[in-house]
Amino acid sequence: MTNHWNDIQFSDCILIMGSNPAENHPISFKYVTMAQEKGAKVIHADPRFTRTSAKSDMYVPLRSGSDIAILGGMIKYILDNKLYFKEYMLNYTNASFLVSKDFEFNDGLFSGFDPETSTYDKSTWQFQTDENGVPQKDPSLKDPQCVFQIMKKHFARYTPDKICRIAGMEKSDLLDMYKLYTATGRPDKSGTIMYAMGWTQHSVGVQNIRTMAMIQLLLGNIGVAGGGVNALRGEANVQGSTDHCLLYHILPGYLKTPKAAQQSLAEYNKAYTPVSNDPESANWWSNYPKYSASLLKAMWMNDDPKDSYNWLPKLENGNASQYSWLPMIDRMYQGKFSGAFTWGMNPACSGSDSKKVREGLGKLDWMVNCNLFLNETGNFWEGPGMDPKKVKTETFFLPCASPIEKEGSISNSGRWMQWRYAGPEPLNGVLSDGHYFSELMEEVKRLYKEEGGAFPAPVERVTFDAMYGEHHEFDAKQTARLINGWFTRDCEVKGKKFKKGQQVPSFAYLQDDGSTCSGNWLYCNSVTDEGNKAMRRDASMTPEQEKAQLYPNWSWCWPVNRRVLYNRASVDVNGKPWAPEKPIIAWDASSKKWVGDVPDGGWAPGTRHPFIMRKHGFGQLFGPGRADGPLPEYYEPLECPVESHPFSGQLHNPTAIHFKSEKKSVCDPRYPFIASTYRLTEHWQTGSMTRWEPWLVETEPQMFVEISHELARLRGFENGEKVCIESPRGKLWAIAMVTERFKPFTVQGQTLHQVGMPWHYGWIAPKNGGDSANLVTPNVGDPNTGIPEYKAFMVNVRKWTKEDEA
Amino acid sequence: MKIKRRSFLQLGTVATMSMAFFGLGCGKDEVAKVRDKASSFKLAWTKQTTTICPFCAVGCGLVVNTNQETKRAINVEGDPDHPINKGSLCAKGAASIQLTENPDRPSECLWRAPYSDKFEVKPWQWCKERIARLIKDSRDKSFEEKNAKGQVVNRTEGIASMGSAALDNEECWAMQTFMRSLGLVYVEHQARI
């Protein structure tokens, strides 16, 4: 989230699209309701009528996967009716930038497409620059090459009639929604978006969110109270686990995983340190070398970062199509891994096409599964269709301490790093995950020391003991200190003297020469000489902070306790808030200081462009970095019920990740229904935790599928009857829940049915609870992130028969 | 397979009796120490700790009361002082004690031999030595110092790591350091899917 949970109460219009917070983030709805009570309007756009819809002022049904059509149409509506916040758009976004004359867009494809590799050469997507490399601008916005004009032309095709025909929605709904939301383009109004996996889990997931981010930039809704782009994250610490980068493409603090071509730390830093010659661009990533050196130092404390860089594993390329989840599972399925860790995770139920995942686990020589309860991954060898006597995988199950039996911090969706204390002792002395890692690391080190082996240096030299407390064991408090980082020798930075061992006060003091260590620069400032700020429980605020409900002394949030990101965009060039009634920051001219939130850099107003993490300092309406285009474009899901759509001749995202050998259902009469998976209030993710909790199982005991009355009539289903859901990947049973919550969609003159399923179940528990909905989901995904398309695919639903029991 | 079971019901009885015993006499001292709403809930014979809900990422505060004698949790509820949830919880958060105090929760390491049809209980020390051996063998066998172009890559493509958003920040950092010092490049978790 750019903003945080308490901030939602300040919104004037809350668009909830791609999420169901009333059921999946119930406590967040407290703030939606508070906003509503103050007069805000709430719009819920979703294929299914949920409890969120019931509480909203407006419910807009749409066919799963049609989001970019609808949002692209909203951009056209904003541009046609001049509803943008002009001063914000002109000063804070790249609307006026001139794009290269070689940039083209034809019939669903941007310039630079290579059909052989299904990737883009992005060289024509660049800006025209002056002799200093600063982008050329046309503040009149009239130049046909300026972003504003290119956008206008691009979205001219997104007319309400076309959108409604493909999304299966009413034109009046569409226009009412546009009118309501775009009213937040007024300087003193703000609109927010609450989205979750309903947007990300598509082959156009990233562009779904980019389209909305563009709308927010056009309406001046980023950086302000009650605004922003807010991802409602699902796992308690998925924010933190992403910040610490348990992902192939990034290292802690969103640094890049090195590639083979970057053979030295200098080459690596050069590749990822942007250079701007615009004195008004803060270009914060120019500090990259300080963060990379400090990370290396935190991992290998006794070595020069220039040497330890050599020990970081290098990727061949950064492609999600080679290293992300889907290709990783495919690689496992092909027997190319000998071992695997499945730690605090249940991929046998959470991975798309679960049958492939389960079979893939059987191709490993060994697998270590660590969890609170037995789960379908650790016990895969005795699951449905498996003969244990034919499964080679040597399997370990490690029980771990529960979240209340250990201490440590987690980061919520609003980036608050909050400390958890140990209550009960670990059950029968089980270890915490941190202890498991440290004990395994020490044991592997011992083996290398005694026996030697392949390239032992990174293993032998890694300073895991920097995470240990006085008893020479993993210690969360000490690790939190290391993540913040300390000075490794006496030194002077920015006129301040520091002693060796002193905590680094904030990332502004990190160095590129090994004199500082920091496990994650974004968390630098969390544990300083003042103490561990994640532990803070002080609700006091200044009047300005209270007005914005910032709680700056409660826990700590990254970066540097800034509660609302991009907050310099919430004020004009003189530092005056656009919305004086709900300021986030304001410039106090008398003291020459900012009041309110921690500003995005303390420079005086008007002296720096506000989007400091961008090289040029501007919000990117035109975003040349994405794999599938600098502007969003409508494409059908890779499995879809139509042969064409009205926006171009390009049916699918041409760069989407998929496996050519795996069948996809496009207008396949055997799989006529659109399907989507989702979550319930009473269960969580694969259910590996909640399916063992009797109170929760009693409320939601087994797998079901929501089916409209119309589809039930068509197929002769009774409410409560057992039905079979099948796709080219597999099948599973579910209890038919015949409901008003789904209605058929009329798409291009055709009646289409959508069904929906929770994915919380699995064969191990509870008894007769059913199995994972992911047995039918496809292995296709977004080209930028690789996230699978769980939210729009094709299935058949039929009666469950005796033959199916076999 | 053997999983140690505890009787939650039995603990409940003990807790009720203890409360009856301490209920009147020891209460006064505690009232005098009240600083905030959360500490006013503290039972005299429990340890009270705060934590954050382990389910979604709203980050609701919880208050945990632990029996000082058994060291087991006896109650988990919403933290009334927490600025986000202000004491309220959803169904999952309200049931979260059952994650920890649950008779079905395993507390011993299990090992399944290749082609076996059962898990066997093994001590952690044994598992640790065996897992470390398997890691080393896989790494040694698959380690690539240079790629086809002759560039130094120092990686292993023989081991995959999946997980986890269920770990604390400090554990995530330990995990990434563990995996990357071994040279893993296939490192993925819930955030991807």
Side-chain angles (χ1 to χ4, degrees), chain A residues 236 247 393 425 451 454 681, chain B residues 55 92 112 133 139 180:
Chain A
L247 293 161
T393 315
E425 287 185 354
E451 303 171 5
T681 309
Chain B
F55 293 107
K92 286 192 292 293
R112 173 197 173 264
R133 170 62 58 200
R139 183 181 182 275
R180 289 185 164 122

Side-chain angles (χ1 to χ4, degrees), chain B residues 49-109:
Chain B
T49 49
T50 57
T51 186
I52 303 299
C53 182
F55 293 107
C56 84
V58 171
C60 297
L62 303 175
V63 177
V64 181
N65 280 15
T66 302
N67 184 321
Q68 297 276 37
E69 284 171 25
T70 64
K71 311 294 183 192
R72 303 315 311 157
I74 56 148
N75 187 51
V76 177
E77 64 187 69
D79 180 349
D81 298 311
H82 196 281
I84 296 175
N85 60 312
K86 301 182 169 107
S88 58
L89 290 176
C90 74
K92 286 192 292 293
S96 67
I97 190 171
Q98 293 189 331
L99 274 185
T100 301
E101 307 302 344
N102 190 314
D104 289 325
R105 193 176 151 202
S107 65
E108 286 173 299
C109 297

Side-chain angles (χ1 to χ4, degrees), chain A residues 609-628:
Chain A
H609 307 308
F611 290 90
I612 64 168
M613 300 312 287
R614 307 309 324 169
K615 178 165 124 176
H616 303 301
F618 293 81
Q620 303 207 106
L621 291 168
F622 188 89
R626 301 282 63 84
D628 41 4

Side-chain angles (χ1 to χ4, degrees), chain A residues 329-342:
Chain A
I329 296 296
D330 191 60
R331 205 166 181 279
M332 179 167 79
Y333 184 75
Q334 292 173 34
K336 290 182 180 167
F337 292 116
S338 55
F341 301 94
T342 55

Side-chain angles (χ1 to χ4, degrees), chain A residues 54-69:
Chain A
K55 295 282 282 178
S56 295
D57 298 282
M58 186 182 180
Y59 168 62
V60 185
L62 58 100
R63 174 171 65 103
S64 197
S66 59
D67 306 72
I68 288 180

